Amino acid sequence: MGLCLNTDISTTPFYKAGSLLDFVMEFFNIRSVPQTLSEKQRLEIQKALKGVRVETTHLVHVCRRYKITGFTSQPASQLMFTLDGPQGGTEISVAKYFEIKHFYEIKYDLLPCIKAGSDSKPNYLPMEVCNIVAGQRYIKKLNDLQVTRILKATCMRPVDREKSIFKLVDKNNYNKDKHVLNFGMKIDTHLTTAEARVLHPPKLKYNDRGRETDCEPKDGKWNMFNKKFVKGGTLNTWACISFCRHSMAVIQDFCRELALTCNNFGMVFNDIPVHFSSRPPSEIDKALYELHRQYVNAMPQLQLLIVFLPEAKGTYGKIKKICETELGIVTQCCQPKHLQSKPNKQYFVNLALKINVKVGGSNTYLEDVITKQVPLASNAPTIIFGADVTHPSPGEDSSSIAAVVASMDYFLVKYKCLLSAQPRRQEIIENLFKMTDNGPQGMIRELLLEFYRESNGHKPKHILLYRDGVSEGQFNNVLSNEMDAIKKACVSIEEDYLPPITFIVVQKRHHTRLFPENENMADRSGNILPGTVVDRNICHPTEFDFYLCSHAGIQGTSRPAHYRVLCDENGLSADQLQTLTNNLCYIYARCTRSVSVVAPVYYAHLAAFRARYYMEAGSEYGSSQISGRTRERATTISALPAVKENIRDVMFYC
């Protein structure tokens, strides 16, 4: 298509400008300025405001700006420093200094001071003389409530988003811009028309014992009505612990309904738990360790622990870390808000979908796999990898985490996962393959050997890798390093073993939006239809790439995934790869909907974020005490607790 202008709307949160004391009151949800802050509160506010710029208000004609580097542990009335100049050597408190120097009496002198400047030459400012400067982006991680609010405030239907883009283009009036005129350019104010096609959804296979043995999704979704899991898992020994305030009778009724739902879908779910208890949230560690000691040597072993979370947030990660890295217990956590008199039936369905794969079952197969119509996989053993790297939020002093999942079965629905910590903000996955004193190791090698064991001694004849989170500027670097690692891992298993590899990057962070030309091309939400694929006009002129919107829009404007094929040694045609990619979006185990990216990438994404809990659990405030010198430690790697062997054998990250 040539040169094009990409215009879209972007939303980001900002720090609320105004008095720092007002911010503190809102942050702690209190109605008046606190007289003092506890150590815990000081660390919380330090974590929230580190790096934020403030301006002073105590000088009438002068407004000075500073960047917050921390909050002092001593209040303004007790924090002492040495004066410079003629009075050099004299020690004075910050509160007294402001009274003498600026004739300003500090009202809240028991609150800590802001620390600005360097460690060698710090500046101390009382909180009450500071205002937060307007226009500062908030780049840290938002909490669940903030995410919900920002989505609600900015969510736009496709028609409204299209209108707002047109308004923006009209307002900018590019064709009157002097730079555009000087270069002799003219910008078309109409949207580009892109030729597209809609791929048929794959037929899904369910168990022959159900009333419906197969189904064809419509508008990217389907349901479990009259169907049974294609391979129902068996759950004989399970336990239940509640850390919420609901009565045991309510929890028992919930568990009975859950067992009934699982059995109706073809699982063998024993409705009598081996352990049932209620404990206060303060005894989470104790309760889990006691349960483990009680059943660690029991036969048969405990297969699943159902946990009802406390009403207060923040315990999910702790429970997952203890159970998956220390005790080796597969868990299913439930929110207490679902323990109502009439729980939502769909919630039980969603739990059943997750529990089935956690105990070794499979929810559904692609019909094309059974009829041998899947490219590569139908002709020879094929392994599909999904890989992702998650980085710490800005201001957090922890490592990046790489997750790699790989298909372990002919039906492409069972995925094992490996996790690895690596230097902060490094995008290339460094632990795919490495030579050590103990011989060759690495995630790819280990997963290839797992495939070999699971498939009765067959090595994969074809490799497909879907890689998430790579920007265009990193393509060459990631491709050369990670392709090389995959090939070395193959050769380390057998000297001449070099199966062809297809390496595909999946991009979601882009500003390309596809709008339907008319109502016949849209679904009920006004978005383009699931399965819409575009590989012309707006794509690369020479390279192999395409946009695929595999999911149905629920709210807002759908964002298509951009698939960039960096290497294709398997020689797949565009139609073959697009169809396979679309089909892989329908085997995601956690719901009966097609998802926005292929299931292996989604699983890698889930696993990488699960590992973030392993590193962060129990260190709620640790990341707030980072000085400028910590940047020197960017190459150090935080310890990532290993997932227990029995946990790795199932899809624990679902």
Side-chain angles (χ1 to χ4, degrees):
M1 189 181 71
L3 191 65
C4 64
L5 175 70
N6 184 228
T7 308
D8 191 25
I9 292 165
S10 194
T11 304
T12 191
F14 288 80
Y15 284 94
K16 188 175 180 179
S19 165
L20 183 60
L21 291 180
D22 288 344
F23 182 95
V24 170
M25 286 190 292
E26 285 196 54
F27 185 82
F28 291 117
N29 195 23
I30 52 180
R31 293 184 178 180
S32 59
V33 177
Q35 292 301 309
T36 185
L37 293 181
S38 67
E39 180 64 8
K40 179 182 176 183
Q41 288 175 320
R42 184 186 74 83
L43 290 172
E44 283 182 333
I45 202 71
Q46 177 173 272
K47 185 175 181 180
L49 290 174
K50 187 168 184 181
V52 173
R53 295 191 309 279
V54 292
E55 55 190 13
T56 56
T57 59
H58 62 288
L59 300 174
V60 180
H61 301 295
V62 181
C63 177
R64 291 183 178 144
R65 291 189 172 184
Y66 299 89
K67 183 183 281 190
I68 298 173
T69 59
F71 282 76
T72 62
S73 56
Q74 293 175 299
S77 60
Q78 298 174 19
L79 181 64
M80 308 296 286
F81 69 98
T82 305
L83 290 171
D84 294 331
Q87 296 175 306
T90 306
E91 280 206 338
I92 189 171
S93 70
V94 172
K96 196 70 177 174
Y97 175 81
F98 268 75
E99 185 181 339
I100 296 170
K101 175 77 175 176
H102 301 299
F103 306 103
Y104 187 96
E105 186 176 351
I106 304 300
K107 184 179 178 183
Y108 301 101
D109 61 354
L110 294 179
L111 287 176
C113 291
I114 287 172
K115 184 181 175 184
S118 63
D119 290 340
S120 58
K121 197 173 182 182
N123 291 310
Y124 299 116
L125 297 164
M127 293 171 68
E128 65 192 75
V129 303
C130 296
N131 282 348
I132 295 174
V133 177
Q136 298 182 78
R137 284 181 58 207
Y138 183 85
I139 58 173
K140 297 173 186 175
K141 187 178 179 181
L142 297 171
N143 62 37
D144 293 342
L145 181 61
Q146 290 168 330
V147 170
T148 302
R149 285 177 175 172
I150 202 168
L151 286 175
K152 190 175 181 180
T154 61
C155 186
M156 298 176 75
R157 290 172 61 83
V159 172
D160 298 326
R161 193 182 191 101
E162 191 176 354
K163 286 178 182 175
S164 65
I165 290 171
F166 276 126
K167 281 183 184 177
L168 184 63
V169 171
D170 289 340
K171 181 184 175 183
N172 289 348
N173 198 7
Y174 294 111
N175 288 324
K176 294 288 179 70
D177 184 276
K178 65 177 183 179
H179 299 294
V180 174
L181 294 171
N182 285 342
F183 277 91
M185 293 190 296
K186 187 177 180 182
I187 293 169
D188 189 351
T189 55
H190 298 92
L191 288 178
T192 298
T193 301
E195 198 175 316
R197 64 189 182 121
V198 180
L199 302 175
H200 288 293
K203 208 169 185 180
L204 301 176
K205 174 66 179 166
Y206 283 92
N207 199 294
D208 290 336
R209 292 187 292 114
R211 290 185 189 176
E212 295 181 21
T213 60
D214 53 44
C215 105
E216 193 165 319
K218 188 176 181 182
D219 294 333
K221 57 183 184 289
W222 65 101
N223 59 55
M224 286 297 298
F225 187 67
N226 287 335
K227 301 176 187 69
K228 292 186 183 293
F229 295 138
V230 69
K231 181 186 173 186
T234 299
L235 186 56
N236 290 320
T237 53
W238 60 281
C240 175
I241 299 180
S242 170
F243 297 108
C244 66
R245 290 193 291 263
H246 287 272
S247 68
M248 293 297 287
V250 171
I251 292 165
Q252 285 174 333
D253 288 344
F254 183 96
C255 289
R256 274 194 289 269
E257 186 66 31
L258 177 59
L260 180 63
T261 303
C262 291
N263 284 319
N264 287 342
F265 291 155
M267 287 183 65
V268 178
F269 195 122
N270 180 7
D271 58 359
I272 302 173
V274 296
H275 176 92
F276 208 97
S277 65
S278 178
R279 302 287 285 270
S282 59
E283 295 183 5
I284 286 176
D285 300 56
K286 185 179 177 182
L288 295 175
Y289 278 100
E290 283 178 0
L291 178 75
H292 179 254
R293 280 195 297 271
Q294 190 175 350
Y295 294 101
V296 65
N297 295 317
M299 291 301 292
Q301 287 188 328
L302 189 67
Q303 293 173 275
L304 181 75
L305 171 63
I306 295 175
V307 178
F308 290 91
L309 298 171
E311 282 76 10
K313 301 277 184 185
T315 56
Y316 176 85
K318 180 181 182 179
I319 291 167
K320 290 293 183 183
K321 179 185 179 181
I322 292 172
C323 291
E324 292 170 358
T325 66
E326 297 174 23
L327 307 180
I329 300 174
V330 180
T331 54
Q332 177 58 57
C333 293
C334 302
Q335 292 282 3
K337 65 181 180 181
H338 295 287
L339 289 167
Q340 302 159 355
S341 55
K342 290 185 179 179
N344 186 350
K345 292 284 184 185
Q346 187 58 46
Y347 184 64
F348 289 118
V349 174
N350 293 343
L351 285 177
L353 292 169
K354 296 201 278 186
I355 289 171
N356 189 48
V357 296
K358 286 180 180 181
V359 297
S362 299
N363 295 345
T364 186
Y365 294 153
L366 294 169
E367 183 85 24
D368 285 355
V369 175
I370 297 167
T371 56
K372 298 195 172 182
Q373 294 178 28
V374 175
L376 305 181
S378 294
N379 303 320
T382 301
I383 190 168
I384 298 180
F385 290 101
D388 189 20
V389 177
T390 174
H391 303 292
S393 301
E396 289 191 3
D397 186 23
S398 59
S399 303
S400 293
I401 296 170
V404 181
V405 304
S407 61
M408 291 288 133
D409 64 338
Y410 171 75
F411 299 101
L412 309 178
V413 295
K414 184 182 178 184
Y415 289 82
K416 282 195 177 178
C417 167
L418 292 177
L419 300 161
S420 175
Q422 59 185 49
R424 177 186 174 86
R425 295 280 157 192
Q426 179 176 301
E427 188 54 53
I428 295 168
I429 303 175
E430 66 172 23
N431 198 26
L432 292 179
F433 177 79
K434 60 183 180 182
M435 288 298 298
T436 68
D437 295 338
N438 298 322
Q441 292 181 358
M443 292 192 285
I444 293 290
R445 173 185 162 84
E446 198 169 330
L447 289 168
L448 286 171
L449 291 173
E450 284 282 350
F451 183 95
Y452 181 81
R453 287 189 284 268
E454 292 274 345
S455 60
N456 297 321
H458 294 290
K459 293 190 296 293
K461 292 289 198 314
H462 306 280
I463 294 175
L464 273 80
L465 188 142
Y466 287 92
R467 178 71 158 86
D468 191 18
V470 182
S471 62
E472 198 161 352
Q474 298 169 316
F475 281 176
N476 288 337
N477 207 6
V478 168
L479 180 65
S480 60
N481 282 276
E482 295 185 6
M483 278 284 286
D484 183 57
I486 296 168
K487 290 185 176 182
K488 284 179 178 176
C490 293
V491 172
S492 73
I493 293 171
E494 191 175 298
E495 191 173 344
D496 296 323
Y497 177 53
L498 279 170
I501 303 166
T502 298
F503 195 107
I504 307 148
V505 167
V506 188
Q507 293 178 312
K508 285 285 286 179
R509 295 186 179 182
H510 59 77
H511 281 285
T512 300
R513 299 292 182 272
L514 304 174
F515 299 103
E517 197 170 45
N518 56 59
E519 290 182 0
N520 296 329
M521 298 179 181
D523 61 13
R524 289 169 62 185
S525 68
N527 281 291
I528 54 175
L529 295 168
T532 299
V533 63
V534 175
D535 58 5
R536 300 183 183 185
N537 287 47
I538 59 173
C539 295
H540 199 281
T542 57
E543 294 174 4
F544 186 1
D545 70 318
F546 59 92
Y547 289 93
L548 172 65
C549 184
S550 53
H551 65 296
I554 299 174
Q555 61 176 359
T557 306
S558 296
R559 185 189 317 202
H562 191 191
Y563 292 89
R564 306 285 296 267
V565 185
L566 302 191
C567 176
D568 182 26
E569 297 175 351
N570 287 295
L572 292 164
S573 67
D575 186 58
Q576 284 178 319
L577 187 54
Q578 289 165 11
T579 301
L580 175 62
T581 300
N582 186 55
N583 290 357
L584 288 173
C585 296
Y586 282 79
I587 59 168
Y588 183 60
R590 289 169 32 125
C591 61
T592 52
R593 303 181 71 96
S594 59
V595 287
S596 57
V597 293
V598 289
V601 160
Y602 216 134
Y603 292 149
H605 186 72
L606 289 175
F609 272 87
R610 175 65 60 80
R612 183 66 57 199
Y613 285 123
Y614 301 161
M615 299 179 83
E616 291 175 353
S619 56
E620 190 177 355
Y621 311 113
S623 61
S624 64
Q625 303 178 54
I626 311 170
S627 69
R629 288 173 294 185
T630 29
R631 299 295 165 237
E632 298 168 12
R633 301 203 302 270
T635 55
T636 61
I637 302 172
S638 307
L640 178 64
V643 177
K644 292 291 183 179
E645 195 71 35
N646 65 311
I647 302 293
R648 281 174 40 188
D649 287 340
V650 297
M651 294 167 67
F652 66 94
Y653 44 81
C654 281

